[in-house]
Amino acid sequence: MPSILIIEDDQSIRQGLAIFLAEEGHSVESLSSGMEGVQRTAEGGLDIVVLDLGLPDIDGGQALKMIRSISAVPVIVATARDEEGEIVRILRDGADDYIVKPFSGAQLQARIEAIIRRVVGGTIRAPMVVSELVVDVEQRVATLGGVPLDLTRKEFDLLAYLAERVGVVVSKRELLAEVWRQPYGGADKTVDVHLSVLRRKLGESAAESRYLRTVHGVGVKLVAPDS
Ligand code: CA
């Protein structure tokens, strides 16, 4: 049963949506302030957050950024007509979808279903093959020359993120934001340390790189060794 959190200060909208979504078979929680919503999101266990932009305590856009810094949970932002100009910003700040008020429970339900199909249910993703390296995100297994690599959870996430973008230079800031969910992480050494361990496990070093190429001052990319 998908677990949905509604963050909405208007009591009649909040209750109406909660009742509708519960009848559709969701497990529904609802809160009326942004900070309570962020705190609840931090506790985890949610499949989707429906976030109102106009909240009494903090701006919904601000709440979205806070949620994104602590969680990858899909967020649907509910905006009023006069907030439509904010939609681009909201999507860039990490919202998965938006819905313009007034909207029906049925429309929200359809958007929730679409996200669940895409994100939660997902299609089975085929293993990614880069020369001798195979990264299977479904099984969470990576092999090099047929031999399984002994990776920690974050090392695997890092390798998978790069493998999904073969040949593309990814900045350390992006890795911190996307793999570690720390968009404001700044200058810490987390990424460097993990890259260095990953290199060792792939049987290479920064001086003699094969799969992991550092592009100085820009970031890192995963490539086939002979490219
Ligand atoms: Ca509101």
Side-chain angles (χ1 to χ4, degrees):
M1 190 194 288
S3 182
I4 315 257
L5 172 65
I6 299 166
I7 307 172
E8 164 68 68
D9 61 315
D10 183 308
Q11 192 185 357
S12 65
I13 295 177
R14 188 174 68 244
Q15 287 178 349
L17 289 177
I19 290 166
F20 184 90
L21 293 177
E23 281 171 354
E24 292 289 322
H26 302 291
S27 156
V28 185
E29 295 172 48
S30 64
L31 293 167
S32 57
S33 85
M35 281 315 293
E36 282 177 315
V38 171
Q39 279 161 15
R40 173 62 193 89
T41 305
E43 290 164 17
L46 299 169
D47 292 310
I48 290 182
V49 173
V50 180
L51 173 67
D52 177 30
L53 269 197
L55 292 167
D57 57 335
I58 52 170
D59 171 62
Q62 214 182 330
L64 173 65
K65 285 186 185 168
M66 293 167 84
I67 287 171
R68 270 293 156 267
S69 68
I70 51 171
S71 170
V73 67
V75 177
I76 300 174
V77 168
T79 76
R81 287 259 166 229
D82 57 2
E83 291 161 339
E84 273 196 71
E86 295 204 351
I87 287 170
V88 170
R89 190 171 62 78
I90 290 298
L91 290 171
R92 286 194 174 139
D93 282 345
D96 295 83
D97 198 359
Y98 69 92
I99 191 164
V100 177
K101 289 180 177 178
F103 56 84
S104 64
Q107 191 193 154
L108 179 60
Q109 166 64 10
R111 288 178 186 271
I112 287 170
E113 281 171 6
I115 287 184
I116 288 173
R117 272 200 306 276
R118 201 166 66 226
V119 183
V120 183
T123 48
I124 302 287
R125 288 189 285 171
M128 295 170 283
V129 181
V130 186
S131 188
E132 297 273 282
L133 177 68
V134 178
V135 182
D136 184 339
V137 291
E138 292 293 330
Q139 304 292 330
R140 289 192 67 81
V141 172
T143 59
L144 183 62
V147 179
L149 295 168
D150 182 18
L151 304 177
T152 65
R153 193 166 61 87
K154 279 299 172 204
E155 287 160 11
F156 181 87
D157 291 344
L158 173 61
L159 181 63
Y161 192 85
L162 293 170
E164 280 165 350
R165 296 159 181 78
V166 167
V168 177
V169 182
V170 179
S171 71
K172 288 173 187 173
R173 177 168 291 277
E174 179 177 340
L175 290 171
L176 261 186
E178 298 298 328
V179 179
W180 278 268
R181 293 282 160 202
Q182 291 175 9
Y184 314 111
D188 78 69
K189 291 285 168 202
T190 307
V191 176
D192 287 330
V193 170
H194 280 79
L195 277 174
S196 135
V197 175
L198 197 51
R199 276 214 164 88
R200 187 162 50 70
K201 292 184 176 177
L202 288 169
E204 59 182 72
S205 65
E208 284 185 57
S209 75
R210 296 180 67 229
Y211 288 93
L212 292 174
R213 298 265 167 86
T214 298
V215 180
H216 286 291
V218 188
V220 63
K221 62 180 174 179
L222 184 80
V223 295
D226 302 329
S227 66

